[in-house]
Each structure stands twice: as structure tokens, then as C-alpha cells.
Amino acid sequence: MNTITAAITAVGAYVPDFVLTNKALEAMVDTNDEWITSRTGIKERRILKEEGKGTSFLAIKAAQNLLAKANIDPLEIDLLIMATATPDMPVASTGVYVATEIGATNAFAYDLQAACSSFLFGMSTAAAYIESGRYKKVLLIGADKMSSIVDYTDRSTCIIFGDGAGAVLFEPNYEGLGLQDEYLRSDGIGRDFLKIDAGGSINPTSLETVKENRHNIIQDGKTVFKYAVTNMADSSELILKRNNLTNEDVDWLVPHQANKRIIDATANRMNLEDSKVLMNIEKYGNTTSATLPLVLSDFEHLFKKGDTIILAAFGGGFTWGSIYLKWAYDKK
């Protein structure tokens, strides 16, 4: 029996229509376009403005885009994994709702949360299900409505985050393509540096927590930046060495889109030329769980069957890692 590997066979994406530019932010907080661009690489981000629509709306749109492009019957989906840091609501799984809404009623579904590394960790999980031989089609969606947890009077966070969703389909491959190796790590030391302070079991929602504005994301930017630069670069370099790959062997780097300086540091550690480093951070900002699949979707037209792709991410908690992937198809 041939060895089963887990390959990405289709991608989809969705971003809201509303564009929040750096110029618009200048009227909201003490900042300016030059400062934001020079420090983050972000020029604009998309925001889901419609009342009553949450992360599930973004995820459904991305999934529908994938299913339509690949001409796949949703009833064929065995499993849906929802990577998100901003679920629609506590307890009731966003992924379960998304699966039902797209017609994937033969699939079981659940949410996976590892902050900005959620999609990367989800890739590992989806691949394991495929490699087990029990499942044939696993839909992995990364989606976040970050605007729902951002304080737009806090210039340290509101300039960074945007809303969006991306999706990939994993299927069995017998040519040795797909996910080749992974290096995934976490460290609880990061718990206090990037978080939402209230609304969980330690500090449940109360009048006081609402009045004190403790339900939005906060971060110690300098500390997060330092850990992100070190760990994303280290993990990417390690996965190359472990697989006897050189910079010449790598066709594309798909990095988490949190900060252009972090991406540059990772690429420099890998000794990659700029043309191999894929970025769309200037258009979307940091969409957390959606950054990696949005990059895959935006640059799908460049990928060729057999291309070597390194994906890397870093997120709150802390969580981080890299994945070595062989691309499985040429775009039709």
C-alpha cells in the first residue's frame, strides 16, 4: 500500500468590502501613515461592519468560495476544522454552525484556538486525519473578526488587526506531495503579553470588567515582537536543516502576516531573496487565523506542482512553528 500524505487540493478566501486605511486611523488615534507603514508594513485592513455578522459569516464565505472554485459537493466533506481566536460565541462551536450552513452535513466539526498560529496548528491536525486513512476530505478554515475585540482608541493594537477568512481542502496524496514535516511549539510564558483579560473563567464578565474595558485585546508590543522574531526565524531555519534543504530549494515562504519586520527577519535567517517571500500585509493587516490561507489564496496562481513551500507563524500564548509543504497542483 502506498504511503498517504496530506495535500492541499483547493483554496478559497473572503475579505469584507469595507477598507480601513491608515489615513482614516489618523483621525481616530494619535498615529500617522508613515509611522504605521514603516513599523508594520500595513497600509489598510478590511473590517466587517454589518450588524449581527461575526466570524462564521467570514468563514462561510471563504468555504463557499473554495467549494465553488473546486466544484466540490459539501456533502463529500468528512471533517471541518475551524481555526479562530474570535468565535461567534462561547460554548457553541463556530465550526459546527459553519459546517451546517455550507451544507457539509456529513462532516463533524470543531474549533481550534492557538491565536495567530491557529491555522498552522490546524494544518497539522487536518493532515493527521488524512494520513490516518479514515478521512478523504478535510476542510480547514482560518477566520477572525478581529475588529470585534480591538479597542479603536488603543493605537498599539488598532493599527495592526483586520478581518478576513481563508480555507484549504486537504485530501490524500500518493505522489509524496503535501505536508512533509512540521516543527510546532508553545510556551506559556507568553500568557500575560498578548491576551484579553476578562470574559473567561478567571475574570468572568461583570459590570466592572465592561466598565474597565477589559474585553479587548491588549499586548506588550516590544516583548511580543522580540519573541516572534526569534521563534519564527528559528523554527523556519530548523525545518530547513532537518530536511537538508537550502535556500535554493525553497520556492516560497508563506509567513504569518503580523509585521513586515518579523517577516523580513525570518526571510533573512533563511537567506531567501525577496521574490520568494509572499506578503499581502499591506492590504489586510494581521487577520490572525486567516493570514496564512489568505496568502495561499492571493498567490495560488504562482504555485506549481512540486513547489517547496515553508509556512511559519507566531501567536499569543505563545505558540509558533513552521511547516514544510510540497504543493500538489497547478492552478487551472
Side-chain angles (χ1 to χ4, degrees), residues 65 151 163 202 224-225 248 264 271 318-319:
N65 176 247
D151 177 358
D163 303 339
I202 295 176
V224 172
F225 180 84
E248 296 297 325
D264 289 343
N271 197 27
F318 290 127
T319 59

Side-chain angles (χ1 to χ4, degrees), residues 17-170:
D17 294 330
F18 183 85
V19 177
L20 179 60
T21 64
N22 289 349
K23 189 68 177 176
L25 282 170
E26 290 179 8
M28 300 165 64
V29 291
D30 182 16
T31 192
N32 59 71
D33 174 68
E34 191 280 329
W35 192 93
I36 298 171
T37 303
S38 65
R39 284 164 175 77
T40 68
I42 302 168
K43 299 295 288 186
E44 58 189 38
R45 62 291 290 148
R46 301 299 185 94
I47 305 295
L48 181 59
K49 300 284 282 187
E50 289 87 346
E51 287 288 329
K53 292 182 178 178
T55 295
S56 63
F57 175 81
L58 303 169
I60 289 165
K61 289 287 190 180
Q64 290 173 335
N65 176 247
L66 181 151
L67 294 171
K69 284 169 55 180
N71 192 28
I72 292 170
D73 183 343
L75 293 175
E76 297 176 17
I77 304 297
D78 300 311
L79 163 63
L80 186 150
I81 301 172
M82 180 77 233
T84 185
T86 56
D88 282 1
M89 58 186 70
V91 183
S93 168
T94 302
V96 170
Y97 177 72
V98 170
T100 298
E101 289 298 297
I102 66 171
T105 52
N106 289 325
F108 73 101
Y110 59 85
D111 295 355
L112 186 155
Q113 207 281 72
C116 292
S117 301
S118 295
F119 189 85
L120 193 76
F121 286 17
M123 289 180 66
S124 171
T125 308
Y129 279 108
I130 293 293
E131 290 163 1
S132 75
R134 295 181 182 178
Y135 304 94
K136 303 300 183 186
K137 286 183 169 61
V138 177
L139 182 61
L140 171 62
I141 305 173
D144 273 304
K145 184 184 176 181
M146 294 304 293
S147 61
S148 67
I149 58 171
V150 166
D151 177 358
Y152 284 93
T153 66
D154 175 13
R155 68 175 182 175
S156 69
T157 55
C158 73
I159 65 170
I160 297 171
F161 296 103
D163 303 339
V168 302
L169 183 69
F170 276 93

